[in-house]
Amino acid sequence: MKWWGWGHEGVAFTHEDKPALRAFIQRVLALDVARPGSPTLSFDALTVPEPVLGDALRGALEDAVGAEHVSTDALDRVVHARGKSLRDLVRHRSGDIGRVPDVVVRPGDEPAVEGVLRAVLAADAVVIPFGGGTNISGSLEAPSAETRTVVSVDMSRLDRVLDVDEGSRLARVQAGVFGPDLERQLNARGWTMGHFPDSFTHSTLGGWIATRSSGMQSDKYGDIADLTRAVRVVTPAGTLVTRPVPHTSTGPSVREMVLGSEGRLGIVTEATVHVHRLPEQRTILGYLFPDWERALAAMQAIAESEASPSVTRVSDSYETAFSFSTRKDPTPLDRVKSKALTTFLERRKGYDLEAMCLAFIGYEGTKAHVARQRKLAGKVVSRFGGLCIGSSPGELYDQKKFDTPYIRDFLLDRGAPADVSETSAPWSRLKPLYDNVMAAARGAFGELGVTGYIMCHLSHSYHAGACLYFTFAFNPSGRRPAIEEYDVVKTAIQQTFVDSEATLSHHHAVGTEHAQWLEDDISPVGVAMVRALLHGVDPGSNLNPGKIV
Ligand SMILES: Cc1cc2nc3c(=O)[nH]c(=O)nc-3n(C[C@H](O)[C@H](O)[C@H](O)COP(=O)(O)OP(=O)(O)OC[C@H]3O[C@@H](n4cnc5c(N)ncnc54)[C@H](O)[C@@H]3O)c2cc1C
């Protein structure tokens, strides 16, 4: 992983193969992306402080994991210092690397994790579990004033599917496994977990659990909270083991306490998760709707209907316009088809192309199941004036979805901050919530005197409501640091979430980024309960201090 951005060195987003994108960004952000971006700071230009690591602690860590898995290498420590929030990237890129961990350890099994935690507690040091380092809520960074030794526990060696209980459709999996490796191991036995966050390639099972992650197909498979049946967690009091039972009434759920705990209760070493047989057929179809109101109403009607798609995703007109601007060079045949479609939409269907919304609906299962689901969802789509545009847009989206994260670095290279904020609310509140957030973000752009853009999609549907996922970017004024202007916009959006009775985050956790709104979300008593739990388990505040509350 790059220390300053997303993904692997040498892989980057470009506008050059997308003929409409430059003009689109020029129009909405007043930014010419053809101008070369600023070069990345060289790693050698950073001042990485010497690690604070006493001989006794070093020796105990080496005993626990083996000397070759204890690293004080400067690059290793910087990569483990933060996640991938916009604030993380902006600060790293400017050479402000924060309180980097003093040492990175890589345990290979649960006893090694227990040894690390024992050593850390004995030395009154700090331990921060590290999965893939992709969180965007400030869930990994040690507090700037932390004087104790900070030990980052990289879980990547715990990467195996240990067992599949085929009859119960449960798999025991080590927590450090990355998404692609997990699916490769399961697929080889004919199974899938069905958890595909956009960060899939670089994030881990333990990180998903510790942040309550959601994936693209969570409509069918459930969010990570639904998929996780049991956990093993190394805590200061010993190893917590919960049972992989389908349901239990044994008091408040300890499993639920671990979900979203961001390393503050212990280190998750293993989880038992739901797995499903690989579907015979999987397809994602593209649909168009005349406007956002009808698109939202259609998603609600699908959730109420007998249809059970694996993906329901619909973009507002602003995100639709952005998506169309990222299309690659069309072939002459594409051009003819596109012209015919536009004419049909305007003349026959009465669409206003500026208001049109693009949706993807996915179906999985046996061929017969997929055919029936398509029919059921298709009927609802037609009722709301929508129409199916076939499988090519969906296939393209499916192939490219893990590449889109690179676009944030592309814009940052050119000085423009871009970020996301996501929330969920009951169906009855979604439209006012959307209107409030759009108004708040645009108000913030106006107050700052900057050219900005905000767009949204509904990313997950539930029985009672849905997740709205906002993406925003702006061209900073240059009058003050861009990160301060970013804070004005981000704060306006987050505040609007809680003021509109939505949640402060649907799947990006709390960390430090969202902690100031937690009381609004779960009430002061709720925060006091969380605080008491964390303090009770970790009285010395040795486990990832400062996160959540
Ligand atoms: C471009 C991009 C796209 C994203 N898309 C999505 C998305 O679609 N859905 C989604 O849910 N999220 C998404 N995220 C956010 C992020 O990927 C998730 O929060 C993810 O779950 C973090 O996993 P990780 O392995 O990278 O954890 P890390 O970032 O390494 O850690 C996150 C937190 O979990 C703790 N932790 C990690 N492993 C363990 C463990 N074994 N035991 C205890 N605590 C642990 C850490 O201490 C930290 O507090 C995205 C992020 C980016 C940058």
Side-chain angles (χ1 to χ4, degrees), residues 229-272:
R229 255 319 20 94
V231 284
R232 291 182 67 92
V233 189
V234 174
T235 81
T239 298
L240 164 74
V241 182
T242 67
R243 292 184 172 177
V245 290
H247 182 70
T248 169
S249 64
T250 47
S253 166
V254 175
R255 178 186 63 88
E256 280 272 345
M257 290 174 195
V258 172
L259 288 159
S261 59
E262 301 188 32
R264 294 219 51 183
L265 293 176
I267 304 177
V268 181
T269 54
E270 186 184 310
T272 305

Side-chain angles (χ1 to χ4, degrees), residues 129 131-135 139 197-199 204 207-208 210-211 213-214 262 268 405 544:
T134 66
N135 77 85
S139 307
D198 291 356
S199 56
T204 64
W208 300 337
T211 57
S213 164
S214 296
E262 301 188 32
V268 181
N544 203 9

Side-chain angles (χ1 to χ4, degrees), residues 89 124 131 152 194 207-208 256 275 284 321 332 413 424 475 491 496 500:
L89 299 186
D124 189 24
S152 174
W208 300 337
E256 280 272 345
V275 289
I284 299 186
D413 287 346
S424 78
N475 191 349
T491 301
T496 307
S500 307

